[in-house]
Amino acid sequence: AEFGISVLNDIIIDPRGYNNNYEQPIVDTYAEHEITNDLVYGSVYFGARSIELSEQEAGATYWTWLAKTGETSWGETNLADLKNTPPEFDEGGDNTGPLIIAATAEISNSQENQTDDSISQSKENLKKDIIEPETKNARLAVFGDSDWINNLYFLTLGNHALALNTIHWLAEEYDLIAIPPNDPSYDRIELSSSAISSAFYIPVLLIPLMLSVIGFVRIHDRRKRG
């Protein structure tokens, strides 16, 4: 929180969640950032909390959102009944989507931001021929969920690409930031409940029924003629 990034006490609910699970939001809205440039894959999270950014102030820290959930999502704050009761959006109580689910910060510890003690230490280092850089930068990446990069979900959708790019960005290894080719053995087709129903009823029931009706009409017509 001291760097302007706070994780809220809620659980993100997404009616269009992964595998029709409303506690597994799918994210495909990314900021223009070195981590997410050209990232075309969505990422999925599991029981995630939303993130709030404080007002940007002039100083040594710069923070920005990295990924957001969809407009139909919300941050459920009534956590006590979440396991027993289907969640419903409570206007005025829950956090309205889209919600920030990931953010980054860059902290600059420049010479002008050093304390008197650190400046004195730098002078002592110079006497000992220890060369200290004038600027030390730190980086921070905050996600509202940790499950998205565990062994079970790492290869789900674009989680692996986002995770590896984040690590390379933190290490300032820009030449390693890339979108890896998608392994076809892990390709998934995400269907809504209505699409799943259509995929069953159309080829299994509707098409055979139409063929049966056409065949019955032809047979009836031939018998009528002959």
Side-chain angles (χ1 to χ4, degrees):
E2 64 180 295
F3 299 118
I5 302 175
S6 301
V7 182
L8 302 181
N9 188 29
D10 62 5
I11 294 293
I12 296 178
I13 301 299
D14 185 359
R16 299 173 60 249
Y18 182 72
N19 284 339
N20 294 314
N21 189 327
Y22 50 73
E23 290 188 30
Q24 299 180 356
I26 296 177
V27 172
D28 56 11
T29 301
Y30 302 111
E32 292 186 4
H33 194 281
E34 292 167 320
I35 293 175
T36 53
N37 281 344
D38 301 322
L39 184 61
V40 296
Y41 307 129
S43 50
V44 60
Y45 304 84
F46 306 86
R49 296 164 65 179
S50 63
I51 290 173
E52 183 178 60
L53 301 181
S54 61
E55 276 190 39
Q56 200 77 259
E57 299 176 1
T61 303
Y62 172 76
W63 54 93
T64 182
W65 69 275
L66 183 67
K68 286 183 179 180
T69 61
E71 294 184 357
T72 60
S73 65
W74 73 87
E76 180 64 44
T77 56
N78 185 9
L79 306 182
D81 296 334
L82 191 57
K83 291 184 178 181
N84 303 320
T85 307
E88 294 183 0
F89 176 68
D90 179 18
E91 189 171 356
D94 295 332
N95 300 315
T96 307
L99 300 169
I100 300 173
I101 202 169
T104 62
E106 297 185 62
I107 304 101
S108 175
N109 184 22
S110 61
Q111 192 76 16
E112 62 185 10
N113 292 314
Q114 291 181 357
T115 62
D116 293 338
D117 291 339
S118 63
I119 293 175
S120 299
Q121 184 64 45
S122 297
K123 291 179 179 179
E124 290 297 321
N125 290 339
L126 289 174
K127 292 178 183 179
K128 299 175 184 178
D129 295 330
I130 299 175
I131 300 175
E132 291 282 349
E134 292 186 0
T135 302
K136 292 182 179 179
N137 295 323
R139 291 184 167 185
L140 184 68
V142 180
F143 289 80
D145 176 42
S146 60
D147 298 315
W148 71 286
I149 53 171
N150 68 18
N151 290 341
L152 183 60
Y153 303 118
F154 184 72
L155 292 174
T156 302
L157 300 184
N159 287 10
H160 62 298
L162 181 59
L164 292 175
N165 282 0
T166 301
I167 293 171
H168 295 322
W169 178 79
L170 291 171
E172 298 187 22
E173 297 174 336
Y174 300 109
D175 54 336
L176 297 179
I177 295 178
I179 307 303
N182 202 20
D183 188 341
S185 63
Y186 292 99
D187 277 348
R188 296 172 182 243
I189 298 177
E190 299 301 322
L191 299 176
S192 64
S193 55
S194 60
I196 293 174
S197 299
S198 299
F200 172 75
Y201 289 114
I202 292 177
V204 176
L205 297 179
L206 184 59
I207 293 178
L209 180 61
M210 290 176 60
L211 293 176
S212 299
V213 170
I214 293 173
F216 176 78
V217 171
R218 293 290 300 272
I219 293 173
H220 179 73
D221 185 56
R222 286 186 179 180
R223 287 181 177 177
K224 189 177 180 179
R225 291 181 182 180

